[in-house]
Amino acid sequence: MLSANDLLLVGVGLGVKLLLMPAYHSTDFEVHRNWLALTHSLPMRLWYYEARSEWTLDYPPFFAWFEWALSQAARLWDARIVDVNNLGYAAPSCVTFQRLTVIGSELVLLWALWRAVRLAGGSVSARTAAVLGFLSPGLVFVDHVHFQYNGFLLGLLVLSLTLAMEGRDLLSGVVFAVLLCFKHIFMYIAPAYFVYLLRHYCVVYRPRRRLDVGASAARLLALAMAVVLVFGVVLGPFVALGQGPQLLARLFPFKRGLCHAYWAPNAWALYSLADRVLVVIARLRGTHYAASAAAAATRGLIGDSVFAVLPAVPPLATFVATLAAQLPAIALLVLRPCSPVRFVQAVVLCAYASFLFGWHVHEKAVLLILVPLGLLLVAGPTRRALRMFAVAAVSGYYSLLPLLFGVQELPIKATVLLIWVLCALVLLKSTGSGTSAWQCLSALERAYIVGHVPLFVLTEITPASLFARLPFLPLAMVSTYTALGLVYSWAGLIFEYLC
Amino acid sequence: MAPKTRAQTRLKAETKATASTAFTVPVDSWFQFLENQSAQEIALPVSLLFAILVRWCISLHGYSGMGNPPMFGDYEAQRHWMEITTHLPPSKWYSYDLKYWGLDYPPLTAFQSWACGYIASLINPAWVALGRSRGIETHASKLFMRATVLALDLAIYVPAVVLFFRLKLVSVSWAARQASIFTVLLQPCLLLIDHGHFQYNSVMLGFLMWAVYFAAREHYVAMAIAFCCALMFKQMALYYAPTIFFFLLAKCFQRRHGFVLFVKLGLAVIATFSVMLLPWIQSRSQLEQILVRVFPVARGLYEDKVANVWCAVNVAVKLRSIFETKYLLRLATAATSLAFAPSCIHLFIVVRRYAGKQPAETRANVLRLLNYSLVNSSLAFFLFSFQVHEKSILLPLAPALLLINDESWAVNWFVQVALFSMYPLLFKDGLNVPYAVLAVGWSVLRSCPVCPADRQTPRIVFVLQWLTTLAMVALHAAHAFVLPPKALPDIYIVLNVIFSCMMFVMFLVYFNYRQFTLLSRSSKEKAQLGKQKSE
């Protein structure tokens, strides 16, 4: 279904990813190497207790099994990779191996997108959207440079969503359950799955809108059995060993702060900014504020997020805010006629809500919004959906740039992002009128998108010494500016989907 | 022909080209896609950004002499020149501690080193501290060195390529034109040597492309100056000198004001050389020292294994032990002259014949002849001259790439073989991954073995190219998996040299043949076109 040209582009992307192998990798590289080593060298019952490295296993068991499978190949490639005492091992052979596992496992995403294109009839616009989705700069930055397996995990998500669009609800639910057992962060979108599967799969009507209780109960039972089976297979052995509490403690470490070291561009970044602004006002007016907190924040110690004027935000408040923000997504599924496309839209909104209001959100979580949003483009976007995608994608992908902070990566992030944005703005077309994303955008939106260029000059190229007195400023500018775009497109998408 | 009608015929020819060769090489399909999506405006920016991205990605990998004291490699040589030029007066540049990478390129390279060294000393003086910085390989200093190559490449090579292919002398479709720019910017051999191995060849080759561009625009004085810059950057540009000389000489003969042009050219050349040599011009001994450094005759017929005739012949006949260096130099010079003479004389005769203002078609043909002759002359030098390095295959490649629209399959094949011939060097530098990516990338995007749709390719060439590709893959596989026999430890390198040399000799013959038959070919095509029109 993908044309020769599409395969060529994917191949070119593959070439760039291979060339990027010696680029910077974060501590996540050692995290995954350590997991390879510990799953290979230790019996399963010790996986969640092993603590020789500070990077203990904190993903659910399927991911551990995934690492275990990879470690079988790793042993043949270079046995030192899987030595659990060989902490910090990053020889070229190890780097090559781990990079290749990322590149290889990412093919799940390609396969899932290919299915989506086939479902959409294989039109040019669907194929373009799929290729742009696969060659997302976010995946290049986070997976192929920073080092993670998002391409693989999001591939499973897209696969699950595509199965839902194909009408195979039960399978979709099973794939999602599997995905949850790979990485539990996807729980954020579970409400959309729950409501959709309940309404679209479990509830069966007889003619004249009368509930078919027997059939509905059977389907509910089937779904429940399938999900329980998946969780049972994954979690059962550990629970049987009496490791349930240990597993939970590893998977949900609630000791971290509200904002990650670098602020994800979400509502809390704007909240922090408001606090800073209020501090300035308080200083001018001579009213009281918590001086120590303000000083800590000015020094850039934002790991712990203390506020000087505004009240502190407890985890419970973020939890409530997230649930409240997910209400539009649930409303979409409950109030409107239920359709697979609506479901994907609800997933996007759920991911959006948790990104904007969640506790200790990583900037990387923006991929959870942008990849399903890209999938909706394969199905064919309206003009407004395309506009909102353009704004969200530019600001969301831009917000990932601080992740790669080295000078060496500067040309890479600039060129990769620019190439993708140029292609996306010109090649993505709305259905019907066939106007390109750039043509759809309003003047303000265009100005906002172009505004990332001076932002780049200011925060990436300007020497850091200029900000010696305000070291947090460059990062704060990035998270604030990109948060504006993300919040704007969130509002726009809610309007688009609900009205 | 009036300009308007000429434009019209060109337009017709362009649409024709689009229609008849809808799919030539795979890389075209991307640009055709952009055209169909009416997204032409992003084609060039995306190509340029991608060219930067690939260059920088290659530069993440190894370089010549990385972590290999005490002498390191070409990377350290270039850095060392920055060190001595920023700290010593020009009078010492060509004589300072010659055993440790003494400067052996002409003055423009020295000035470039000085400028880069000056910037380096502003950022971090430790990178170029005299004596103490030897072998410095910190992450930041490496980034700086890589950035200088990228900046000079972008400043000189890239604009020349873009401008050349935007000249509308040849009637090719928009997509093919864009594809040519993309291809020439991403030519793997140059990228791997400059941004991987570490050199500044793109400056010299960029100046050559500027010279060709000026020739196309009929600015002959500018052409001469650009070529002098190439020559003053790397003496290897001498490989082109016979062609440039005969071309400009012919221009002097053909014009009504030929003598004026002759004087202008002479003055321009003398002025350029004088400016470049200004720091040393007062002292004869210093000028001699530069000459001795730049032309190291004493270093012998060849050093490393290189795919030229002398090295290949050496497998059977040990020339270096039979003859003295003196005689070998004469032999090499005579052979080289014989090899480039036919092409240059033909160029001289044909270019001289066209006097006065010419139709676009003739101008395009003259430009093609110039490029053919540049390929032939530099390939002759590569195969037969004294002291050739394996990297010098870049010189014939540059003008050949300018012919990519006329010689699609030959140029693709040529690049494939040239890249293969540099494999031993790139392997030593730890550039396996970029080599593999770019070799496969070139073969898939550009080359014909995977692209049977190219109807222009003769069947015999198609088969031959497949066979040579298989041979190259087989040699790589053998090198990777089979240990060489103890008696012949260099067997794979020697096989590489013999294979590549044979191919290069074949390309020399082929490009000469194409140069000599260009005019008859072109008139035949014209007649055919006329016939079609009348029908």
Side-chain angles (χ1 to χ4, degrees):
Chain A
M1 211 45 90
L2 292 169
S3 75
N5 187 40
D6 301 325
L7 289 176
L8 216 62
L9 291 176
V10 170
V12 167
L14 173 69
V16 171
K17 289 164 190 172
L18 288 170
L19 287 178
L20 278 172
M21 287 200 298
Y24 154 83
H25 53 77
S26 71
T27 49
D28 279 344
F29 178 82
E30 169 63 8
V31 170
H32 288 288
R33 194 213 54 82
N34 184 45
W35 293 357
L36 280 177
L38 77 87
T39 51
H40 188 267
S41 320
L42 301 175
M44 193 197 81
R45 65 192 156 78
L46 294 179
W47 285 358
Y48 284 94
Y49 287 91
E50 168 60 33
R52 251 168 283 191
S53 160
E54 59 179 310
W55 311 118
T56 53
L57 183 57
D58 59 6
Y59 275 24
F62 256 153
F63 202 89
W65 286 112
F66 173 66
E67 297 275 10
W68 176 84
L70 292 180
S71 73
Q72 304 307 313
R75 189 174 57 88
L76 301 175
W77 182 276
D78 173 3
R80 280 166 301 173
I81 298 175
V82 292
D83 179 355
V84 80
N85 288 313
N86 196 4
L87 297 184
Y89 182 61
S93 69
C94 175
V95 173
T96 306
F97 177 79
Q98 295 213 69
R99 294 280 198 205
L100 288 178
T101 62
V102 173
I103 292 170
S105 61
E106 196 187 40
L107 292 177
V108 174
L109 179 61
L110 188 65
W111 180 55
L113 285 168
W114 174 76
R115 290 188 74 112
V117 168
R118 194 180 55 178
L119 187 69
S123 67
V124 178
S125 60
R127 285 188 281 119
T128 308
V131 171
L132 281 168
F134 183 68
L135 297 176
S136 142
L139 292 176
V140 174
F141 298 154
V142 181
D143 281 13
H144 301 283
V145 181
H146 177 91
F147 200 85
Q148 278 189 352
Y149 289 93
N150 294 293
F152 168 62
L153 298 168
L154 290 165
L156 287 178
L157 176 65
V158 172
L159 182 64
S160 165
L161 295 175
T162 308
L163 287 169
M165 290 204 282
E166 287 171 8
R168 299 158 87 171
D169 288 351
L170 183 63
L171 203 54
S172 165
V174 170
V175 172
F176 183 68
V178 169
L179 178 61
L180 278 180
C181 295
F182 269 101
K183 192 171 178 180
H184 48 306
I185 195 171
F186 290 97
M187 268 188 344
Y188 280 133
I189 52 175
Y193 266 94
F194 184 74
V195 176
Y196 176 74
L197 289 179
L198 212 59
R199 199 174 160 209
H200 193 259
Y201 177 69
C202 296
V203 175
V204 189
Y205 287 108
R206 284 199 187 131
R208 283 189 291 149
R209 305 268 316 156
R210 276 173 51 212
L211 189 70
D212 185 339
V213 180
S216 297
R219 284 194 166 192
L220 187 64
L221 196 67
L223 182 63
M225 291 277 283
V227 172
V228 167
L229 195 69
V230 170
F231 282 107
V233 165
V234 176
L235 302 175
F238 293 94
V239 175
L241 286 166
Q243 296 185 356
Q246 170 69 6
L247 198 59
L248 277 182
R250 279 282 176 90
L251 295 189
F252 299 97
F254 256 107
K255 286 172 222 142
R256 298 180 187 172
L258 173 65
C259 293
H260 189 53
Y262 148 69
W263 309 345
N266 60 9
W268 306 122
L270 295 177
Y271 188 79
S272 305
L273 178 82
D275 187 60
R276 294 294 137 76
V277 174
L278 288 175
V279 166
V280 175
I281 295 171
R283 264 189 206 146
L284 289 177
R285 295 178 54 192
T287 45
H288 173 74
Y289 64 95
S292 63
T298 331
R299 282 201 303 275
L301 302 174
I302 42 180
D304 237 3
S305 295
V306 276
F307 298 104
V309 179
L310 293 173
V313 183
L316 189 65
T318 65
F319 189 64
V320 172
T322 306
L323 278 187
Q326 286 187 342
L327 281 179
I330 306 305
L332 185 64
L333 288 177
V334 174
L335 303 178
R336 297 287 165 138
C338 207
S339 79
V341 171
R342 284 255 148 73
F343 165 54
V344 181
Q345 292 172 346
V347 165
V348 169
L349 289 185
C350 270
Y352 232 135
S354 53
F355 178 80
L356 290 179
F357 299 100
W359 178 261
H360 192 85
V361 174
H362 283 238
E363 64 285 59
K364 295 153 226 157
V366 79
L367 289 173
L368 189 53
I369 304 169
L370 294 177
V371 170
L373 204 53
L375 182 65
L376 283 169
L377 297 186
V378 177
T382 63
R383 285 177 68 108
R384 188 188 291 114
L386 193 57
R387 271 167 54 203
M388 293 308 142
F389 173 78
V391 172
V394 173
S395 53
Y397 287 139
Y398 186 96
S399 75
L400 294 170
L401 294 189
L403 210 56
L404 318 177
F405 50 83
V407 179
Q408 178 177 272
E409 280 68 35
L410 195 67
I412 296 167
K413 53 191 189 183
T415 50
V416 167
L417 188 60
L418 256 176
I419 291 172
W420 190 88
V421 169
L422 280 177
C423 291
L425 288 180
V426 177
L427 295 177
L428 289 175
K429 306 268 167 77
S430 69
T431 37
S433 61
T435 42
S436 72
W438 179 252
Q439 288 164 333
C440 291
L441 291 169
S442 72
L444 182 71
E445 289 157 351
R446 287 182 187 182
Y448 173 77
I449 284 177
V450 175
H452 286 84
V453 175
L455 183 68
F456 185 84
V457 174
L458 209 57
T459 58
E460 300 276 352
I461 298 173
T462 314
S465 54
L466 281 185
F467 300 107
R469 290 185 58 205
L470 299 164
F472 73 92
L473 195 61
L475 285 185
M477 282 198 298
V478 173
S479 57
T480 313
Y481 191 78
T482 51
L484 287 175
L486 285 168
V487 170
Y488 172 82
S489 79
W490 178 56
L493 285 173
I494 290 178
F495 186 76
E496 161 75 14
Y497 295 159
L498 283 172
C499 305
Chain B
M1 214 188 283
K4 199 182 163 194
T5 51
R6 202 189 299 153
Q8 279 170 346
T9 48
R10 195 158 58 218
L11 201 71
K12 247 183 210 165
E14 277 199 28
T15 43
K16 201 172 186 64
T18 333
S20 65
T21 53
F23 188 74
T24 48
V25 286
V27 69
D28 289 359
S29 69
W30 160 245
F31 294 99
Q32 279 160 9
F33 170 72
L34 288 183
E35 202 173 15
N36 293 339
Q37 298 288 307
S38 50
Q40 287 100 326
E41 69 271 20
I42 63 164
L44 191 58
V46 167
S47 293
L48 290 174
L49 288 166
F50 187 71
I52 297 174
L53 173 65
V54 172
R55 280 161 166 74
W56 195 253
C57 284
I58 293 170
S59 81
L60 301 174
H61 294 257
Y63 50 82
S64 159
M66 181 166 71
N68 189 17
M71 282 305 278
F72 303 94
D74 277 343
Y75 170 88
E76 170 61 9
Q78 296 283 352
R79 197 211 52 76
H80 176 64
W81 298 337
M82 295 183 193
E83 171 194 334
I84 57 175
T85 49
T86 37
H87 288 94
L88 299 172
S91 58
K92 292 204 175 139
W93 288 358
Y94 283 94
S95 51
Y96 179 79
D97 193 4
L98 294 177
K99 279 195 189 121
Y100 189 80
W101 298 113
L103 184 54
D104 56 3
Y105 282 127
L108 196 51
T109 289
F111 295 144
Q112 171 259 321
S113 299
W114 174 82
C116 293
Y118 177 74
I119 298 170
S121 64
L122 289 182
I123 304 173
N124 184 351
W127 295 343
V128 288
L130 190 62
R132 274 173 297 129
S133 65
R134 281 192 186 180
I136 187 170
E137 287 186 294
T138 61
H139 181 67
S141 70
K142 178 199 157 191
L143 286 184
F144 173 77
M145 294 293 289
R146 294 295 204 189
T148 60
V149 180
L150 181 63
L152 285 165
D153 191 347
L154 292 181
I156 297 171
Y157 182 79
V158 170
V161 171
V162 173
L163 284 176
F164 179 83
F165 283 103
R166 294 183 86 173
L167 287 172
K168 300 213 167 124
L169 284 172
V170 201
S171 64
V172 284
S173 67
W174 176 87
R177 200 184 292 285
Q178 289 293 327
S180 319
I181 294 178
F182 179 87
T183 310
V184 179
L185 288 184
L186 286 158
Q187 192 254 101
C189 303
L190 179 62
L191 262 57
L192 286 168
I193 291 296
D194 273 19
H195 300 271
H197 174 84
F198 203 93
Q199 279 191 344
Y200 293 89
N201 294 297
S202 53
V203 177
M204 185 253 290
L205 299 175
F207 279 129
L208 174 84
M209 296 209 167
W210 276 108
V212 175
Y213 172 74
F214 286 130
R217 300 291 307 272
E218 305 187 330
H219 298 315
Y220 300 113
V221 175
M223 176 189 179
I225 293 174
F227 181 67
C228 287
C229 288
L231 207 51
M232 288 307 256
F233 193 82
K234 285 197 171 199
Q235 63 275 37
M236 272 73 108
L238 266 181
Y239 293 11
Y240 302 125
T243 294
I244 303 273
F245 174 76
F246 281 108
F247 179 81
L248 286 175
L249 194 67
K251 285 287 167 194
C252 291
F253 271 101
Q254 65 158 231
R255 292 184 146 209
R256 209 184 303 156
H257 304 295
F259 185 70
V260 180
L261 179 67
F262 183 76
V263 172
K264 274 193 200 161
L265 288 173
L267 286 177
V269 170
I270 292 170
T272 315
F273 276 90
S274 313
V275 168
M276 303 274 182
L277 291 167
L278 207 56
W280 303 274
I281 212 150
Q282 292 151 331
S283 155
R284 199 192 141 94
S285 68
Q286 294 226 353
L287 289 176
E288 272 171 5
Q289 174 67 9
I290 296 180
L291 210 63
V292 169
R293 290 299 304 159
V294 169
F295 296 103
V297 174
R299 272 155 76 174
L301 190 56
Y302 61 89
E303 277 174 299
D304 264 349
K305 295 274 189 296
V306 47
N308 78 352
V309 169
W310 307 125
C311 192
V313 165
N314 188 59
V315 177
V317 189
K318 305 284 178 232
L319 285 172
R320 282 188 298 184
S321 48
I322 301 173
F323 299 105
E324 276 179 56
T325 307
K326 194 167 61 175
Y327 295 113
L328 286 176
L329 179 61
R330 282 183 205 161
L331 177 66
T333 312
T336 313
S337 310
L338 273 178
F340 74 66
S343 160
C344 291
I345 293 169
H346 175 254
L347 176 78
F348 179 76
I349 293 171
V350 175
V351 172
R352 215 191 117 182
R353 201 189 301 154
Y354 294 117
K357 214 156 167 52
Q358 295 296 327
E361 206 176 60
T362 315
R363 293 209 329 259
N365 274 340
V366 166
L367 197 66
R368 282 193 185 114
L369 274 181
L370 173 65
N371 280 325
Y372 277 115
S373 183
L374 284 170
V375 178
N376 291 328
S377 160
S378 50
L379 198 48
F381 268 91
F382 176 83
L383 285 171
F384 296 105
S385 78
F386 204 72
Q387 258 289 322
V388 173
H389 289 263
E390 63 276 64
K391 288 152 259 176
S392 300
I393 194 63
L394 291 175
L395 282 108
L397 278 184
L401 281 160
L402 297 182
L403 286 166
I404 198 154
N405 283 317
D406 303 305
E407 295 290 347
S408 184
W409 62 262
V411 173
N412 297 336
W413 198 4
F414 191 16
V415 171
Q416 241 186 346
V417 176
L419 186 58
F420 177 71
S421 81
M422 294 194 299
Y423 176 68
L425 175 80
L426 299 170
F427 176 73
K428 221 167 27 182
D429 295 342
L431 289 164
N432 289 358
V433 171
Y435 171 83
V437 169
L438 269 78
V440 172
W442 179 268
S443 302
V444 172
L445 287 177
R446 198 63 235 195
S447 218
C448 299
V450 290
C451 180
D454 189 348
R455 268 171 255 133
Q456 297 166 327
T457 313
R459 188 141 192 86
I460 175 78
V461 171
F462 183 71
V463 173
L464 270 178
Q465 200 178 355
W466 257 111
L467 288 177
T468 56
T469 307
L470 286 178
M472 291 188 270
V473 171
L475 251 177
H476 281 314
H479 179 245
F481 299 114
V482 188
L483 278 177
K486 278 219 176 76
L488 304 161
D490 285 343
I491 179 78
Y492 296 127
I493 301 181
V494 172
L495 284 176
N496 185 322
V497 162
I498 295 172
F499 169 83
S500 308
C501 180
M502 275 162 43
M503 294 296 295
F504 291 149
V505 170
M506 192 202 79
F507 283 122
L508 180 65
V509 172
Y510 173 78
F511 281 116
N512 266 295
Y513 166 77
R514 294 291 283 182
Q515 180 183 343
F516 280 94
T517 54
L518 173 72
L519 292 181
S520 56
R521 227 167 43 230
S522 135
S523 53
K524 219 184 268 170
E525 268 164 30
K526 204 172 147 193
Q528 252 175 9
L529 216 76
K531 221 175 173 183
Q532 281 172 355
K533 239 181 225 169
S534 61
E535 275 167 18

